[in-house]
Amino acid sequence: MTVHVIGAGVAGLAAALTLARSGRRVVVHEASPGAGGRARALPDGTDNGTHALLGANRAALAFLRDIGALEGWVEPEPAGLPVLDLANHAARRVALAPLGWLRPAMRPAGMDAGGFLALMRLALPGRDRSVEQAFARHPVLLRALVEPLTVAALNTPVAEASASLLGLVLRRLGAPGAARLLVARRGLGPDLVAPALATIGAHGGAMRFGSRLRGLVRADGRVAALDFGETAQRLAADDQVVLALPPWEALRLLPDIPAPTTHAPILNVHFARAEEGDVRFIGLLGGLGQWVLVRPSGVSVTVSAADDAVSLSDAEAAERIWPEVLAAAMAFRLPGEWPIRAPAARAVREKRATPRHAVGPRPAPPRRPLANLALAGDWTFPALPATIDAAVQSGEAAALALLHPGPRA
Ligand SMILES: Cc1cc2nc3c(=O)[nH]c(=O)nc-3n(C[C@H](O)[C@H](O)[C@H](O)COP(=O)(O)OP(=O)(O)OC[C@H]3O[C@@H](n4cnc5c(N)ncnc54)[C@H](O)[C@@H]3O)c2cc1C
């Protein structure tokens, strides 16, 4: 009995680990030459894009603990998030958790009683609307806190983003420790992907890279064979499949399932400024860059919901963003050398980084659409934004659906 996991992104890795630990024979088939999917290291070791986790991401953190990688994730700003407003050069530290806003020094601009109530109202059930509509009467708070949070958590512009999904994110930030922000100290390769592969391997799981699933051969409501192009894998009666693919690939293979069809890009610009020192994470308002991550290996700047920015050339993006980085370095007195001219930079564009989290119901695919096939992937948990946490939860749920198959759901 073999379980074939298709896709070695976080969802596929989480599914493979759960299955292998339960004693199943697991083979992971990945189209690309490496694992990690949308959370991967590029061949030169750079992350495709900055990935941050929150204390609220319990499934993701438990997964990191299971693979022995949790210590690699550090909290760069335990005293509150440094935020620089490029419009007026106001530099402040802002709490991410509602309780932190009780301290005036940690409140974002515009956080008055009305703004606070508007945030609390997001958590109440009601008709969904856009985040922009929900904060139409609180433009200062929208710009200073709600828009950066929306774009970071939902990767969707506020005019489009679902206020009720943002409310869910905020509710999760209310628990103790939930708003702690963590990043990989060295990078996604050493701090996520390599330890996951090692742990799956230690439990007997096998990896096949460069192995792209071209089609599913179906018979009698189950998968009878996997078509890998030159080779076809006929399945035994008790073999099973986890399809841990991005939505567009899942839809190609299973055209009838509900799945998101619109996506939003993320642009990351990585500057070659290598210098020992603490990891830092700074928010920017009013510029092109949104988050600056400073690590010993380099400086990375994120632009989420990057519909416009994604078409900038590498040079244009670097030239616009580096002065913003310099302003942040000066405002928060970051140690080390900060050259006036932009260091060598490369831009990484993930055109379909996540589904768009727009107003309205999200597609809710069944976990086990075929008797011996379960779906995983960040988009298969419509109650959560598509993140690492959702990917881990989906992988584990898919594994459990095959380990303990009840009625199909
Ligand atoms: C730039 C960027 C920044 C992000 N920032 C954050 C963040 O800060 N915090 C956070 O929590 N999340 C973040 N995310 C989202 C997070 O990366 C994703 O939610 C998560 O990685 C999705 O994992 P997945 O396994 O569901 O899908 P994927 O990562 O897409 O994995 C699918 C895998 O399947 C493979 N594949 C595709 N087709 C086939 C086929 N036919 N046969 C075999 N293999 C195939 C792909 O190569 C891929 O490896 C970010 C995403 C991006 C792109």
Side-chain angles (χ1 to χ4, degrees):
M1 175 184 205
T2 300
V3 188
H4 297 272
V5 177
I6 315 296
V10 172
L13 296 174
L17 182 59
T18 306
L19 290 159
R21 281 166 124 194
S22 305
R24 294 292 161 100
R25 184 169 177 267
V26 174
V27 182
V28 183
H29 306 263
E30 164 58 45
S32 74
R38 280 171 280 150
R40 69 189 181 284
L42 303 175
D44 67 1
T46 318
D47 294 346
N48 66 325
T50 297
H51 279 69
L53 292 174
L54 293 170
N57 298 149
R58 292 189 197 291
L61 297 178
F63 178 70
L64 290 173
R65 195 174 304 115
D66 286 350
I67 60 173
L70 189 56
E71 279 177 14
W73 288 71
V74 294
E75 186 180 8
E77 307 295 344
L81 208 58
V83 176
L84 173 68
D85 191 333
L86 293 159
N88 58 12
H89 293 278
R92 63 206 300 170
R93 283 195 183 257
V94 173
L96 275 182
L99 272 183
W101 301 328
L102 294 174
R103 289 172 54 198
M106 300 289 282
R107 275 180 209 155
M111 178 68 84
D112 51 18
F116 188 76
L117 280 178
L119 278 168
M120 295 302 114
R121 262 200 302 274
L122 283 188
L124 302 175
R127 195 172 56 84
D128 198 8
R129 56 195 168 143
S130 76
V131 171
E132 190 175 62
Q133 282 169 335
F135 286 85
R137 292 215 239 133
H138 307 280
V140 179
L141 185 63
L142 178 65
R143 178 178 178 279
L145 177 77
V146 178
E147 181 165 20
L149 201 61
T150 305
V151 164
L154 306 186
N155 190 30
T156 306
V158 286
E160 208 184 304
S162 157
S164 60
L165 194 54
L166 183 66
L168 189 135
V169 171
L170 282 171
R171 270 205 301 279
R172 297 182 86 208
L173 286 180
R180 289 179 67 218
L181 182 137
L182 304 166
V183 291
R185 179 171 165 71
R186 290 172 300 169
L188 294 169
D191 293 328
L192 172 66
V193 178
L197 292 178
T199 312
I200 293 166
H203 285 90
M207 303 295 306
R208 297 211 180 125
F209 292 111
S211 177
R212 179 167 192 268
L213 183 66
R214 316 239 159 209
L216 292 169
V217 181
R218 292 158 67 163
D220 304 327
R222 50 191 309 285
V223 185
L226 299 170
D227 173 7
F228 290 102
E230 307 225 319
T231 58
Q233 175 93 43
R234 187 178 293 276
L235 299 191
D238 56 359
D239 284 354
Q240 296 172 317
V241 179
V242 174
L243 217 53
L245 299 175
W248 57 92
E249 272 295 281
L251 267 178
R252 184 179 66 74
L253 295 159
L254 295 171
D256 299 334
I257 50 164
T261 51
T262 58
H263 302 88
I266 298 181
L267 167 74
N268 268 263
V269 182
H270 302 286
F271 294 96
R273 176 197 176 268
E275 198 161 307
E276 282 309 313
D278 292 339
V279 179
R280 301 298 307 267
F281 195 81
I282 298 174
L284 297 171
L285 297 177
L288 175 61
Q290 294 157 355
W291 305 103
V292 181
L293 172 64
V294 181
R295 290 191 287 202
S297 55
V299 175
S300 299
V301 180
T302 302
V303 185
S304 295
D307 293 316
D308 298 329
V310 83
S311 56
L312 293 173
S313 70
D314 285 28
E316 284 168 337
E319 270 165 35
R320 282 183 57 184
I321 286 177
W322 186 250
E324 301 175 358
V325 174
L326 281 187
M330 298 309 118
F332 292 101
R333 296 197 169 85
L334 301 192
E337 297 289 316
W338 291 94
I340 299 291
R341 288 193 53 171
R346 71 180 291 194
V348 181
R349 298 162 191 82
E350 289 279 4
K351 295 205 169 141
R352 293 186 284 192
T354 67
R356 297 181 96 88
H357 297 99
V359 175
R362 280 165 286 286
R367 183 62 64 203
R368 194 157 60 93
L370 298 172
N372 61 344
L373 178 144
L375 281 177
D378 59 355
W379 55 278
T380 64
F381 248 105
L384 294 178
T387 56
I388 289 184
D389 200 53
V392 168
Q393 291 195 46
S394 75
E396 293 173 353
L400 290 178
L402 296 181
L403 287 168
H404 310 290
R408 288 234 300 275

